[in-house]
Amino acid sequence: MPPENPPFVTYSKNVFIPVTNICRNHCGYCGFKREPGQPGARLMKPEEVVPILEKGAKAGCTEALFTFGEYAEEVPGYREWLEELGYSSTLEYLVFLCETAIDIGILPHTNAGIMTRSELEVLKPLNASMGLMLETTAILEAHKDCPGKVPERRLETIREAGKLNIPYTTGLLVGIGESRDDRIKSLEAITNLQREYGHIQEVIIQNFSPKAGTPMENFPEPAVEEMMDTVALARQILPRDVAVQVAPNLIDPKALIVKGVTDLGGISPLTIDWINPEAEWPDVKDLQEKLGAIPLRERLPIYPQYVEKRWYSDRIGELIERLSDGEGYRKLPEKRHAKESEK
């Protein structure tokens, strides 16, 4: 039997900051990556990032999603950009950005590709949570010439995050050439890591969306039935304490909630989805109307169970405690409290 509708579906309010789109990988479906010198290639400067963080804080956002191309230092020309900003490595610059976000009042969530244990150790105190899409455990043509997409290397990063008690996000990319059996194996691999370390707070089931100008621009999108099946598999295979997430700007979530979806990820009132720029974020009020009787509940980038366990550092502890309610979800703004008391 399919799972019943959850008592509520969660989401977080974020700003999406694509710090750099320089990347060593050559994924067949990626429209985000650029080479230095190409139109749109970027390494965002502090004077670009800080205003976004400040506007996000004023808009009530709790999450700064820092996204990167993977190991951009391996791409000729990128290090010169870093040096112009006064930094010797992406990690050093990221530490500065995380510190800045915390001081402004937004919790960092970093997604920067595969990482070593030492890199994770540096970032752990400055992040409420971190993430890396597993995508698949299968070896696919879509990942040809992608040293960072070797499945075991990605699993190793997720494993090291577990050893360090980092609340973590991972997920599957559905429709890039993998089979249904591959999806099952990928979900089982994530489950094994969760059972060992208990750190995986959510698994994204993301549908492939073809991008013009990429090698896979004419590759078919997964059918809705495939997505429903994959969500159902995720709910059957994953431990119950792991949320199953879909992106509401890429697929209508209502039919997937009955299959096991309990979270809709980060939704930004200010910034676009830089990975899928053609797909606008839904307005939360409009989304709630579409979901009908299933209420939305805002959370932080760190899930309530990890707030309760205090899987966070003193550096971000005061901010988490200020932003969260007694159950570990997003505390209602004062004006909403006032409205409730008037009823």
Side-chain angles (χ1 to χ4, degrees), residues 12-18 49-67 101 106-109 266-274 281:
S12 69
K13 198 173 180 182
N14 74 6
V15 285
F16 193 138
I17 301 176
V49 176
V50 171
I52 297 172
L53 294 171
E54 290 175 339
K55 289 176 183 177
K58 288 180 182 177
C61 299
T62 63
E63 174 183 354
L65 171 59
F66 290 119
T67 302
I106 297 186
L107 294 164
H109 171 96
I267 299 175
S268 181
L270 298 173
T271 55
I272 66 171
D273 178 349
W274 285 95
W281 299 115

PDB file of all heavy atoms in Angstrom, residues 12-18 49-67 101 106-109 266-274 281:
ATOM      1  N   SER A  12      12.311  24.853   2.904  1.00  0.00           N
ATOM      2  CA  SER A  12      13.114  25.914   3.518  1.00  0.00           C
ATOM      3  C   SER A  12      13.104  27.130   2.617  1.00  0.00           C
ATOM      4  O   SER A  12      12.887  27.035   1.404  1.00  0.00           O
ATOM      5  CB  SER A  12      14.554  25.444   3.772  1.00  0.00           C
ATOM      6  OG  SER A  12      15.248  25.270   2.542  1.00  0.00           O
ATOM      7  N   LYS A  13      13.335  28.279   3.209  1.00  0.00           N
ATOM      8  CA  LYS A  13      13.351  29.551   2.482  1.00  0.00           C
ATOM      9  C   LYS A  13      14.810  29.963   2.328  1.00  0.00           C
ATOM     10  O   LYS A  13      15.499  30.201   3.329  1.00  0.00           O
ATOM     11  CB  LYS A  13      12.556  30.581   3.275  1.00  0.00           C
ATOM     12  CG  LYS A  13      12.113  31.807   2.495  1.00  0.00           C
ATOM     13  CD  LYS A  13      11.194  32.640   3.388  1.00  0.00           C
ATOM     14  CE  LYS A  13      10.701  33.891   2.673  1.00  0.00           C
ATOM     15  NZ  LYS A  13       9.841  34.704   3.567  1.00  0.00           N
ATOM     16  N   ASN A  14      15.279  30.040   1.073  1.00  0.00           N
ATOM     17  CA  ASN A  14      16.715  30.237   0.894  1.00  0.00           C
ATOM     18  C   ASN A  14      17.059  31.293  -0.133  1.00  0.00           C
ATOM     19  O   ASN A  14      16.189  31.818  -0.833  1.00  0.00           O
ATOM     20  CB  ASN A  14      17.393  28.906   0.544  1.00  0.00           C
ATOM     21  CG  ASN A  14      17.126  28.444  -0.886  1.00  0.00           C
ATOM     22  OD1 ASN A  14      16.515  29.145  -1.692  1.00  0.00           O
ATOM     23  ND2 ASN A  14      17.578  27.253  -1.203  1.00  0.00           N
ATOM     24  N   VAL A  15      18.351  31.598  -0.171  1.00  0.00           N
ATOM     25  CA  VAL A  15      18.944  32.312  -1.295  1.00  0.00           C
ATOM     26  C   VAL A  15      19.947  31.365  -1.938  1.00  0.00           C
ATOM     27  O   VAL A  15      20.711  30.687  -1.255  1.00  0.00           O
ATOM     28  CB  VAL A  15      19.617  33.635  -0.873  1.00  0.00           C
ATOM     29  CG1 VAL A  15      18.574  34.689  -0.571  1.00  0.00           C
ATOM     30  CG2 VAL A  15      20.553  33.449   0.310  1.00  0.00           C
ATOM     31  N   PHE A  16      19.909  31.296  -3.257  1.00  0.00           N
ATOM     32  CA  PHE A  16      20.722  30.373  -4.055  1.00  0.00           C
ATOM     33  C   PHE A  16      21.890  31.178  -4.628  1.00  0.00           C
ATOM     34  O   PHE A  16      21.691  32.069  -5.443  1.00  0.00           O
ATOM     35  CB  PHE A  16      19.842  29.800  -5.171  1.00  0.00           C
ATOM     36  CG  PHE A  16      20.416  28.611  -5.900  1.00  0.00           C
ATOM     37  CD1 PHE A  16      19.606  27.539  -6.222  1.00  0.00           C
ATOM     38  CD2 PHE A  16      21.749  28.564  -6.283  1.00  0.00           C
ATOM     39  CE1 PHE A  16      20.106  26.443  -6.920  1.00  0.00           C
ATOM     40  CE2 PHE A  16      22.264  27.479  -6.959  1.00  0.00           C
ATOM     41  CZ  PHE A  16      21.447  26.419  -7.281  1.00  0.00           C
ATOM     42  N   ILE A  17      23.098  30.848  -4.178  1.00  0.00           N
ATOM     43  CA  ILE A  17      24.276  31.625  -4.554  1.00  0.00           C
ATOM     44  C   ILE A  17      25.257  30.738  -5.315  1.00  0.00           C
ATOM     45  O   ILE A  17      25.956  29.911  -4.718  1.00  0.00           O
ATOM     46  CB  ILE A  17      24.940  32.235  -3.305  1.00  0.00           C
ATOM     47  CG1 ILE A  17      23.931  33.144  -2.581  1.00  0.00           C
ATOM     48  CG2 ILE A  17      26.195  33.024  -3.696  1.00  0.00           C
ATOM     49  CD1 ILE A  17      24.434  33.731  -1.286  1.00  0.00           C
ATOM     50  N   PRO A  18      25.329  30.872  -6.650  1.00  0.00           N
ATOM     51  CA  PRO A  18      26.239  30.059  -7.464  1.00  0.00           C
ATOM     52  C   PRO A  18      27.636  30.688  -7.481  1.00  0.00           C
ATOM     53  O   PRO A  18      27.994  31.404  -8.416  1.00  0.00           O
ATOM     54  CB  PRO A  18      25.580  30.113  -8.843  1.00  0.00           C
ATOM     55  CG  PRO A  18      24.947  31.469  -8.888  1.00  0.00           C
ATOM     56  CD  PRO A  18      24.517  31.782  -7.469  1.00  0.00           C
ATOM     57  N   VAL A  49      27.967  38.869  -3.528  1.00  0.00           N
ATOM     58  CA  VAL A  49      27.351  37.907  -2.609  1.00  0.00           C
ATOM     59  C   VAL A  49      26.693  38.585  -1.415  1.00  0.00           C
ATOM     60  O   VAL A  49      25.559  38.253  -1.034  1.00  0.00           O
ATOM     61  CB  VAL A  49      28.399  36.879  -2.124  1.00  0.00           C
ATOM     62  CG1 VAL A  49      27.789  35.946  -1.086  1.00  0.00           C
ATOM     63  CG2 VAL A  49      28.962  36.089  -3.295  1.00  0.00           C
ATOM     64  N   VAL A  50      27.373  39.551  -0.821  1.00  0.00           N
ATOM     65  CA  VAL A  50      26.885  40.157   0.426  1.00  0.00           C
ATOM     66  C   VAL A  50      25.497  40.782   0.277  1.00  0.00           C
ATOM     67  O   VAL A  50      24.617  40.554   1.131  1.00  0.00           O
ATOM     68  CB  VAL A  50      27.910  41.174   0.975  1.00  0.00           C
ATOM     69  CG1 VAL A  50      27.311  41.975   2.135  1.00  0.00           C
ATOM     70  CG2 VAL A  50      29.176  40.445   1.442  1.00  0.00           C
ATOM     71  N   PRO A  51      25.213  41.555  -0.787  1.00  0.00           N
ATOM     72  CA  PRO A  51      23.859  42.108  -0.907  1.00  0.00           C
ATOM     73  C   PRO A  51      22.769  41.043  -1.001  1.00  0.00           C
ATOM     74  O   PRO A  51      21.658  41.239  -0.494  1.00  0.00           O
ATOM     75  CB  PRO A  51      23.921  42.937  -2.192  1.00  0.00           C
ATOM     76  CG  PRO A  51      25.363  43.284  -2.349  1.00  0.00           C
ATOM     77  CD  PRO A  51      26.109  42.089  -1.838  1.00  0.00           C
ATOM     78  N   ILE A  52      23.073  39.902  -1.624  1.00  0.00           N
ATOM     79  CA  ILE A  52      22.096  38.817  -1.702  1.00  0.00           C
ATOM     80  C   ILE A  52      21.809  38.268  -0.307  1.00  0.00           C
ATOM     81  O   ILE A  52      20.652  38.023   0.060  1.00  0.00           O
ATOM     82  CB  ILE A  52      22.589  37.697  -2.637  1.00  0.00           C
ATOM     83  CG1 ILE A  52      22.750  38.214  -4.067  1.00  0.00           C
ATOM     84  CG2 ILE A  52      21.626  36.504  -2.617  1.00  0.00           C
ATOM     85  CD1 ILE A  52      23.423  37.222  -5.002  1.00  0.00           C
ATOM     86  N   LEU A  53      22.860  38.086   0.470  1.00  0.00           N
ATOM     87  CA  LEU A  53      22.690  37.597   1.843  1.00  0.00           C
ATOM     88  C   LEU A  53      21.882  38.584   2.673  1.00  0.00           C
ATOM     89  O   LEU A  53      20.981  38.191   3.433  1.00  0.00           O
ATOM     90  CB  LEU A  53      24.052  37.355   2.486  1.00  0.00           C
ATOM     91  CG  LEU A  53      24.907  36.240   1.884  1.00  0.00           C
ATOM     92  CD1 LEU A  53      26.311  36.270   2.473  1.00  0.00           C
ATOM     93  CD2 LEU A  53      24.271  34.874   2.121  1.00  0.00           C
ATOM     94  N   GLU A  54      22.179  39.859   2.524  1.00  0.00           N
ATOM     95  CA  GLU A  54      21.467  40.881   3.309  1.00  0.00           C
ATOM     96  C   GLU A  54      19.995  40.946   2.923  1.00  0.00           C
ATOM     97  O   GLU A  54      19.116  41.029   3.796  1.00  0.00           O
ATOM     98  CB  GLU A  54      22.145  42.234   3.104  1.00  0.00           C
ATOM     99  CG  GLU A  54      23.526  42.315   3.750  1.00  0.00           C
ATOM    100  CD  GLU A  54      24.256  43.608   3.437  1.00  0.00           C
ATOM    101  OE1 GLU A  54      23.900  44.275   2.428  1.00  0.00           O
ATOM    102  OE2 GLU A  54      25.192  43.952   4.183  1.00  0.00           O
ATOM    103  N   LYS A  55      19.711  40.896   1.628  1.00  0.00           N
ATOM    104  CA  LYS A  55      18.318  40.901   1.177  1.00  0.00           C
ATOM    105  C   LYS A  55      17.600  39.631   1.625  1.00  0.00           C
ATOM    106  O   LYS A  55      16.423  39.669   1.994  1.00  0.00           O
ATOM    107  CB  LYS A  55      18.260  41.028  -0.341  1.00  0.00           C
ATOM    108  CG  LYS A  55      18.663  42.394  -0.866  1.00  0.00           C
ATOM    109  CD  LYS A  55      18.673  42.422  -2.383  1.00  0.00           C
ATOM    110  CE  LYS A  55      19.144  43.771  -2.913  1.00  0.00           C
ATOM    111  NZ  LYS A  55      19.223  43.791  -4.394  1.00  0.00           N
ATOM    112  N   GLY A  56      18.326  38.507   1.618  1.00  0.00           N
ATOM    113  CA  GLY A  56      17.738  37.256   2.078  1.00  0.00           C
ATOM    114  C   GLY A  56      17.356  37.309   3.539  1.00  0.00           C
ATOM    115  O   GLY A  56      16.270  36.859   3.929  1.00  0.00           O
ATOM    116  N   ALA A  57      18.239  37.857   4.357  1.00  0.00           N
ATOM    117  CA  ALA A  57      17.947  37.971   5.783  1.00  0.00           C
ATOM    118  C   ALA A  57      16.719  38.846   6.013  1.00  0.00           C
ATOM    119  O   ALA A  57      15.844  38.520   6.827  1.00  0.00           O
ATOM    120  CB  ALA A  57      19.155  38.536   6.514  1.00  0.00           C
ATOM    121  N   LYS A  58      16.626  39.956   5.281  1.00  0.00           N
ATOM    122  CA  LYS A  58      15.472  40.847   5.434  1.00  0.00           C
ATOM    123  C   LYS A  58      14.180  40.180   4.982  1.00  0.00           C
ATOM    124  O   LYS A  58      13.099  40.473   5.494  1.00  0.00           O
ATOM    125  CB  LYS A  58      15.714  42.130   4.643  1.00  0.00           C
ATOM    126  CG  LYS A  58      16.765  43.044   5.257  1.00  0.00           C
ATOM    127  CD  LYS A  58      16.964  44.294   4.417  1.00  0.00           C
ATOM    128  CE  LYS A  58      18.047  45.184   5.016  1.00  0.00           C
ATOM    129  NZ  LYS A  58      18.303  46.390   4.173  1.00  0.00           N
ATOM    130  N   ALA A  59      14.289  39.271   3.983  1.00  0.00           N
ATOM    131  CA  ALA A  59      13.111  38.569   3.466  1.00  0.00           C
ATOM    132  C   ALA A  59      12.732  37.355   4.307  1.00  0.00           C
ATOM    133  O   ALA A  59      11.774  36.648   3.978  1.00  0.00           O
ATOM    134  CB  ALA A  59      13.352  38.140   2.025  1.00  0.00           C
ATOM    135  N   GLY A  60      13.474  37.090   5.368  1.00  0.00           N
ATOM    136  CA  GLY A  60      13.152  35.967   6.241  1.00  0.00           C
ATOM    137  C   GLY A  60      13.752  34.643   5.828  1.00  0.00           C
ATOM    138  O   GLY A  60      13.369  33.593   6.365  1.00  0.00           O
ATOM    139  N   CYS A  61      14.684  34.663   4.884  1.00  0.00           N
ATOM    140  CA  CYS A  61      15.349  33.418   4.483  1.00  0.00           C
ATOM    141  C   CYS A  61      16.263  32.932   5.607  1.00  0.00           C
ATOM    142  O   CYS A  61      16.881  33.731   6.311  1.00  0.00           O
ATOM    143  CB  CYS A  61      16.172  33.634   3.214  1.00  0.00           C
ATOM    144  SG  CYS A  61      15.214  34.150   1.782  1.00  0.00           S
ATOM    145  N   THR A  62      16.359  31.631   5.747  1.00  0.00           N
ATOM    146  CA  THR A  62      17.217  31.055   6.793  1.00  0.00           C
ATOM    147  C   THR A  62      18.402  30.293   6.220  1.00  0.00           C
ATOM    148  O   THR A  62      19.277  29.877   6.965  1.00  0.00           O
ATOM    149  CB  THR A  62      16.416  30.090   7.686  1.00  0.00           C
ATOM    150  OG1 THR A  62      15.953  28.987   6.903  1.00  0.00           O
ATOM    151  CG2 THR A  62      15.233  30.803   8.332  1.00  0.00           C
ATOM    152  N   GLU A  63      18.429  30.074   4.902  1.00  0.00           N
ATOM    153  CA  GLU A  63      19.455  29.234   4.290  1.00  0.00           C
ATOM    154  C   GLU A  63      20.170  29.975   3.169  1.00  0.00           C
ATOM    155  O   GLU A  63      19.540  30.556   2.286  1.00  0.00           O
ATOM    156  CB  GLU A  63      18.813  27.965   3.706  1.00  0.00           C
ATOM    157  CG  GLU A  63      19.771  27.088   2.921  1.00  0.00           C
ATOM    158  CD  GLU A  63      19.092  25.880   2.297  1.00  0.00           C
ATOM    159  OE1 GLU A  63      17.889  25.656   2.562  1.00  0.00           O
ATOM    160  OE2 GLU A  63      19.757  25.160   1.535  1.00  0.00           O
ATOM    161  N   ALA A  64      21.505  29.930   3.214  1.00  0.00           N
ATOM    162  CA  ALA A  64      22.331  30.392   2.102  1.00  0.00           C
ATOM    163  C   ALA A  64      22.898  29.151   1.421  1.00  0.00           C
ATOM    164  O   ALA A  64      23.782  28.481   1.963  1.00  0.00           O
ATOM    165  CB  ALA A  64      23.461  31.286   2.596  1.00  0.00           C
ATOM    166  N   LEU A  65      22.348  28.823   0.248  1.00  0.00           N
ATOM    167  CA  LEU A  65      22.803  27.653  -0.500  1.00  0.00           C
ATOM    168  C   LEU A  65      23.989  28.064  -1.371  1.00  0.00           C
ATOM    169  O   LEU A  65      23.820  28.744  -2.386  1.00  0.00           O
ATOM    170  CB  LEU A  65      21.663  27.113  -1.362  1.00  0.00           C
ATOM    171  CG  LEU A  65      22.014  26.010  -2.371  1.00  0.00           C
ATOM    172  CD1 LEU A  65      22.602  24.800  -1.674  1.00  0.00           C
ATOM    173  CD2 LEU A  65      20.795  25.629  -3.195  1.00  0.00           C
ATOM    174  N   PHE A  66      25.181  27.676  -0.955  1.00  0.00           N
ATOM    175  CA  PHE A  66      26.394  27.974  -1.699  1.00  0.00           C
ATOM    176  C   PHE A  66      26.697  26.804  -2.642  1.00  0.00           C
ATOM    177  O   PHE A  66      26.964  25.683  -2.199  1.00  0.00           O
ATOM    178  CB  PHE A  66      27.578  28.192  -0.757  1.00  0.00           C
ATOM    179  CG  PHE A  66      27.487  29.463   0.050  1.00  0.00           C
ATOM    180  CD1 PHE A  66      27.440  29.412   1.438  1.00  0.00           C
ATOM    181  CD2 PHE A  66      27.466  30.694  -0.577  1.00  0.00           C
ATOM    182  CE1 PHE A  66      27.368  30.584   2.184  1.00  0.00           C
ATOM    183  CE2 PHE A  66      27.389  31.876   0.165  1.00  0.00           C
ATOM    184  CZ  PHE A  66      27.336  31.820   1.545  1.00  0.00           C
ATOM    185  N   THR A  67      26.637  27.083  -3.938  1.00  0.00           N
ATOM    186  CA  THR A  67      26.841  26.054  -4.951  1.00  0.00           C
ATOM    187  C   THR A  67      28.086  26.369  -5.768  1.00  0.00           C
ATOM    188  O   THR A  67      28.351  27.530  -6.086  1.00  0.00           O
ATOM    189  CB  THR A  67      25.619  25.955  -5.877  1.00  0.00           C
ATOM    190  OG1 THR A  67      24.460  25.662  -5.088  1.00  0.00           O
ATOM    191  CG2 THR A  67      25.797  24.861  -6.903  1.00  0.00           C
ATOM    192  N   ALA A 101      27.855  34.992   5.944  1.00  0.00           N
ATOM    193  CA  ALA A 101      26.438  34.636   6.008  1.00  0.00           C
ATOM    194  C   ALA A 101      25.969  34.528   7.459  1.00  0.00           C
ATOM    195  O   ALA A 101      24.896  35.043   7.819  1.00  0.00           O
ATOM    196  CB  ALA A 101      26.198  33.323   5.270  1.00  0.00           C
ATOM    197  N   ILE A 106      22.095  34.302   8.267  1.00  0.00           N
ATOM    198  CA  ILE A 106      21.607  33.205   7.443  1.00  0.00           C
ATOM    199  C   ILE A 106      22.519  31.999   7.620  1.00  0.00           C
ATOM    200  O   ILE A 106      23.742  32.127   7.636  1.00  0.00           O
ATOM    201  CB  ILE A 106      21.532  33.607   5.958  1.00  0.00           C
ATOM    202  CG1 ILE A 106      20.523  34.738   5.754  1.00  0.00           C
ATOM    203  CG2 ILE A 106      21.146  32.430   5.088  1.00  0.00           C
ATOM    204  CD1 ILE A 106      20.271  35.091   4.308  1.00  0.00           C
ATOM    205  N   LEU A 107      21.922  30.821   7.714  1.00  0.00           N
ATOM    206  CA  LEU A 107      22.679  29.593   7.938  1.00  0.00           C
ATOM    207  C   LEU A 107      23.231  29.050   6.623  1.00  0.00           C
ATOM    208  O   LEU A 107      22.471  28.810   5.678  1.00  0.00           O
ATOM    209  CB  LEU A 107      21.792  28.533   8.588  1.00  0.00           C
ATOM    210  CG  LEU A 107      21.319  28.854   9.999  1.00  0.00           C
ATOM    211  CD1 LEU A 107      20.148  27.955  10.394  1.00  0.00           C
ATOM    212  CD2 LEU A 107      22.472  28.698  11.003  1.00  0.00           C
ATOM    213  N   PRO A 108      24.527  28.802   6.515  1.00  0.00           N
ATOM    214  CA  PRO A 108      25.090  28.237   5.293  1.00  0.00           C
ATOM    215  C   PRO A 108      24.733  26.768   5.106  1.00  0.00           C
ATOM    216  O   PRO A 108      24.669  25.989   6.068  1.00  0.00           O
ATOM    217  CB  PRO A 108      26.614  28.390   5.497  1.00  0.00           C
ATOM    218  CG  PRO A 108      26.762  29.453   6.536  1.00  0.00           C
ATOM    219  CD  PRO A 108      25.580  29.265   7.441  1.00  0.00           C
ATOM    220  N   HIS A 109      24.500  26.420   3.842  1.00  0.00           N
ATOM    221  CA  HIS A 109      24.418  25.028   3.394  1.00  0.00           C
ATOM    222  C   HIS A 109      25.282  24.946   2.145  1.00  0.00           C
ATOM    223  O   HIS A 109      24.970  25.573   1.126  1.00  0.00           O
ATOM    224  CB  HIS A 109      22.980  24.616   3.074  1.00  0.00           C
ATOM    225  CG  HIS A 109      22.877  23.271   2.409  1.00  0.00           C
ATOM    226  ND1 HIS A 109      22.611  22.112   3.103  1.00  0.00           N
ATOM    227  CD2 HIS A 109      23.029  22.895   1.115  1.00  0.00           C
ATOM    228  CE1 HIS A 109      22.589  21.080   2.260  1.00  0.00           C
ATOM    229  NE2 HIS A 109      22.846  21.537   1.033  1.00  0.00           N
ATOM    230  N   GLY A 266      14.564  23.724  -0.915  1.00  0.00           N
ATOM    231  CA  GLY A 266      14.692  25.159  -0.783  1.00  0.00           C
ATOM    232  C   GLY A 266      13.890  25.882  -1.850  1.00  0.00           C
ATOM    233  O   GLY A 266      13.941  25.536  -3.024  1.00  0.00           O
ATOM    234  N   ILE A 267      13.130  26.875  -1.422  1.00  0.00           N
ATOM    235  CA  ILE A 267      12.361  27.717  -2.331  1.00  0.00           C
ATOM    236  C   ILE A 267      12.777  29.157  -2.061  1.00  0.00           C
ATOM    237  O   ILE A 267      12.708  29.624  -0.924  1.00  0.00           O
ATOM    238  CB  ILE A 267      10.848  27.549  -2.110  1.00  0.00           C
ATOM    239  CG1 ILE A 267      10.435  26.093  -2.382  1.00  0.00           C
ATOM    240  CG2 ILE A 267      10.055  28.504  -2.989  1.00  0.00           C
ATOM    241  CD1 ILE A 267       8.980  25.797  -2.073  1.00  0.00           C
ATOM    242  N   SER A 268      13.225  29.851  -3.079  1.00  0.00           N
ATOM    243  CA  SER A 268      13.755  31.195  -2.880  1.00  0.00           C
ATOM    244  C   SER A 268      12.790  32.269  -3.348  1.00  0.00           C
ATOM    245  O   SER A 268      12.289  32.210  -4.474  1.00  0.00           O
ATOM    246  CB  SER A 268      15.084  31.362  -3.616  1.00  0.00           C
ATOM    247  OG  SER A 268      15.589  32.677  -3.392  1.00  0.00           O
ATOM    248  N   PRO A 269      12.563  33.288  -2.509  1.00  0.00           N
ATOM    249  CA  PRO A 269      11.749  34.428  -2.933  1.00  0.00           C
ATOM    250  C   PRO A 269      12.555  35.468  -3.702  1.00  0.00           C
ATOM    251  O   PRO A 269      11.990  36.439  -4.209  1.00  0.00           O
ATOM    252  CB  PRO A 269      11.246  34.994  -1.603  1.00  0.00           C
ATOM    253  CG  PRO A 269      12.361  34.711  -0.645  1.00  0.00           C
ATOM    254  CD  PRO A 269      12.933  33.379  -1.086  1.00  0.00           C
ATOM    255  N   LEU A 270      13.886  35.267  -3.778  1.00  0.00           N
ATOM    256  CA  LEU A 270      14.759  36.300  -4.332  1.00  0.00           C
ATOM    257  C   LEU A 270      15.633  35.847  -5.498  1.00  0.00           C
ATOM    258  O   LEU A 270      15.905  36.629  -6.411  1.00  0.00           O
ATOM    259  CB  LEU A 270      15.688  36.838  -3.231  1.00  0.00           C
ATOM    260  CG  LEU A 270      15.026  37.510  -2.029  1.00  0.00           C
ATOM    261  CD1 LEU A 270      16.075  37.818  -0.966  1.00  0.00           C
ATOM    262  CD2 LEU A 270      14.320  38.778  -2.457  1.00  0.00           C
ATOM    263  N   THR A 271      16.094  34.609  -5.474  1.00  0.00           N
ATOM    264  CA  THR A 271      17.083  34.149  -6.453  1.00  0.00           C
ATOM    265  C   THR A 271      16.519  33.012  -7.290  1.00  0.00           C
ATOM    266  O   THR A 271      15.649  32.265  -6.840  1.00  0.00           O
ATOM    267  CB  THR A 271      18.367  33.674  -5.750  1.00  0.00           C
ATOM    268  OG1 THR A 271      18.029  32.670  -4.775  1.00  0.00           O
ATOM    269  CG2 THR A 271      19.075  34.830  -5.049  1.00  0.00           C
ATOM    270  N   ILE A 272      17.042  32.868  -8.509  1.00  0.00           N
ATOM    271  CA  ILE A 272      16.578  31.795  -9.386  1.00  0.00           C
ATOM    272  C   ILE A 272      17.273  30.483  -9.039  1.00  0.00           C
ATOM    273  O   ILE A 272      18.237  30.446  -8.270  1.00  0.00           O
ATOM    274  CB  ILE A 272      16.832  32.152 -10.868  1.00  0.00           C
ATOM    275  CG1 ILE A 272      18.348  32.214 -11.163  1.00  0.00           C
ATOM    276  CG2 ILE A 272      16.151  33.453 -11.239  1.00  0.00           C
ATOM    277  CD1 ILE A 272      18.678  32.336 -12.645  1.00  0.00           C
ATOM    278  N   ASP A 273      16.784  29.415  -9.615  1.00  0.00           N
ATOM    279  CA  ASP A 273      17.455  28.116  -9.558  1.00  0.00           C
ATOM    280  C   ASP A 273      18.542  28.149 -10.636  1.00  0.00           C
ATOM    281  O   ASP A 273      18.262  27.997 -11.824  1.00  0.00           O
ATOM    282  CB  ASP A 273      16.452  26.995  -9.836  1.00  0.00           C
ATOM    283  CG  ASP A 273      17.078  25.604  -9.834  1.00  0.00           C
ATOM    284  OD1 ASP A 273      18.323  25.505  -9.827  1.00  0.00           O
ATOM    285  OD2 ASP A 273      16.323  24.622  -9.871  1.00  0.00           O
ATOM    286  N   TRP A 274      19.770  28.353 -10.223  1.00  0.00           N
ATOM    287  CA  TRP A 274      20.855  28.545 -11.184  1.00  0.00           C
ATOM    288  C   TRP A 274      21.218  27.267 -11.935  1.00  0.00           C
ATOM    289  O   TRP A 274      21.846  27.323 -12.986  1.00  0.00           O
ATOM    290  CB  TRP A 274      22.085  29.117 -10.491  1.00  0.00           C
ATOM    291  CG  TRP A 274      21.927  30.572 -10.176  1.00  0.00           C
ATOM    292  CD1 TRP A 274      21.508  31.125  -8.995  1.00  0.00           C
ATOM    293  CD2 TRP A 274      22.153  31.669 -11.059  1.00  0.00           C
ATOM    294  NE1 TRP A 274      21.460  32.497  -9.088  1.00  0.00           N
ATOM    295  CE2 TRP A 274      21.858  32.849 -10.348  1.00  0.00           C
ATOM    296  CE3 TRP A 274      22.571  31.768 -12.389  1.00  0.00           C
ATOM    297  CZ2 TRP A 274      21.970  34.114 -10.921  1.00  0.00           C
ATOM    298  CZ3 TRP A 274      22.689  33.023 -12.953  1.00  0.00           C
ATOM    299  CH2 TRP A 274      22.391  34.181 -12.229  1.00  0.00           C
ATOM    300  N   TRP A 281      10.812  29.242  -9.377  1.00  0.00           N
ATOM    301  CA  TRP A 281      10.308  28.746  -8.104  1.00  0.00           C
ATOM    302  C   TRP A 281       8.826  29.094  -7.988  1.00  0.00           C
ATOM    303  O   TRP A 281       8.406  30.188  -8.376  1.00  0.00           O
ATOM    304  CB  TRP A 281      11.035  29.410  -6.932  1.00  0.00           C
ATOM    305  CG  TRP A 281      12.502  29.188  -6.862  1.00  0.00           C
ATOM    306  CD1 TRP A 281      13.479  30.118  -6.987  1.00  0.00           C
ATOM    307  CD2 TRP A 281      13.177  27.942  -6.633  1.00  0.00           C
ATOM    308  NE1 TRP A 281      14.715  29.542  -6.861  1.00  0.00           N
ATOM    309  CE2 TRP A 281      14.564  28.212  -6.646  1.00  0.00           C
ATOM    310  CE3 TRP A 281      12.739  26.633  -6.431  1.00  0.00           C
ATOM    311  CZ2 TRP A 281      15.507  27.211  -6.464  1.00  0.00           C
ATOM    312  CZ3 TRP A 281      13.686  25.643  -6.241  1.00  0.00           C
ATOM    313  CH2 TRP A 281      15.047  25.938  -6.252  1.00  0.00           C
TER     314      TRP A 281
END
